[in-house]
């Protein structure tokens, strides 16, 4: 009876570990994406700062076929004339949003890492309580 309870506990712990690992990887991927967005915004701002205020600047807006003095197409993309100040404000906002998102994701990551440590500790305790279960797990082969 204790063997069955321990096996059930092991399966629950294993499921929680798999779930937590998946969430942790998802948060890490989101952090990498936000770091990339932050870097692009920073580099764009650096380039914009080097331009004089009267320089024509353009923003990519997708795919349109209409062309006039304000729009132009290049390689299938459409660009619209924007004041340098508007582009700088937009990039500064992207930078701030990315930093805020990264801070929130860092908090989530730390929480999930604590959960993972707790799950690992629970597994360690279970295996110490039931050496037979530990031997069974160690003898299992991965298919």
């Amino acid at each position: 009876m204790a063997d069955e309870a321990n096996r059930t506990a092991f399966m629950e712990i294993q499921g929680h570990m798999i779930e937590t690992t998946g969430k942790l990887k998802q948060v890490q991927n989101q952090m990498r994406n936000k770091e990339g967005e932050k870097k692009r915004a920073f580099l764009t701002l650096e380039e914009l700062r080097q331009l004089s205020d009267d320089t024509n600047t353009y923003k990519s807006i997708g795919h349109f076929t209409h062309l006039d003095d304000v729009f132009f197409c290049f390689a299938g993309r459409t660009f619209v004339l924007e004041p340098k100040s508007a582009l700088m404000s937009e990039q500064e906002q992207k930078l701030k949003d990315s930093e805020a998102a990264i801070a929130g994701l860092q908090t989530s990551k730390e929480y999930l890492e604590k959960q993972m440590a707790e799950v690992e500790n629970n597994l360690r305790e279970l295996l110490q309580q039931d050496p037979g279960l530990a031997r069974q797990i160690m003898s299992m082969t991965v298919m």
Side-chain angles (χ1 to χ4, degrees):
M1 185 93 126
D3 273 355
E4 189 59 36
N6 285 343
R7 275 193 216 114
T8 301
F10 172 76
M11 296 299 280
E12 287 176 13
I13 292 170
Q14 183 182 36
H16 193 63
M17 182 176 277
I18 291 168
E19 180 184 342
T20 304
T21 300
K23 288 178 181 178
L24 187 56
K25 286 181 181 180
Q26 183 179 20
V27 166
Q28 290 168 332
N29 285 334
Q30 290 172 338
M31 286 180 76
R32 269 192 297 279
N33 290 340
K34 288 298 176 185
E35 287 289 348
E37 288 176 19
K38 177 183 170 185
K39 185 174 183 177
R40 279 188 296 280
F42 175 80
L43 292 173
T44 302
L45 274 170
E46 289 299 304
E47 290 297 318
L48 287 170
R49 285 185 181 116
Q50 295 176 28
L51 302 175
S52 65
D53 289 339
D54 61 344
T55 302
N56 286 340
T57 55
Y58 294 85
K59 174 183 173 182
S60 174
I61 58 170
H63 303 279
F64 291 101
T65 56
H66 177 74
L67 295 175
D68 60 24
D69 294 341
V70 191
F71 292 93
F72 78 91
C73 287
F74 177 74
R77 305 235 358 130
T78 302
F79 297 83
V80 63
L81 182 63
E82 287 277 337
K84 175 186 166 189
S85 61
L87 290 178
M88 288 192 65
S89 294
E90 183 178 306
Q91 294 304 312
E92 287 166 351
Q93 189 60 50
K94 283 182 182 180
L95 188 65
K96 288 177 188 174
D97 291 347
S98 295
E99 288 172 343
I102 290 166
L105 289 165
Q106 181 63 35
T107 301
S108 295
K109 180 183 172 207
E110 290 168 3
Y111 172 76
L112 290 168
E113 286 171 342
K114 286 178 186 176
Q115 274 193 325
M116 186 63 106
E118 187 177 312
V119 168
E120 289 170 353
N121 189 45
N122 291 343
L123 181 59
R124 196 174 300 109
E125 286 178 11
L126 178 63
L127 295 177
Q128 286 173 352
Q129 289 174 3
D130 190 345
L133 179 61
R135 281 190 294 278
Q136 282 180 330
I137 293 168
M138 295 301 286
S139 68
M140 295 172 128
T141 57
V142 177
M143 294 184 190

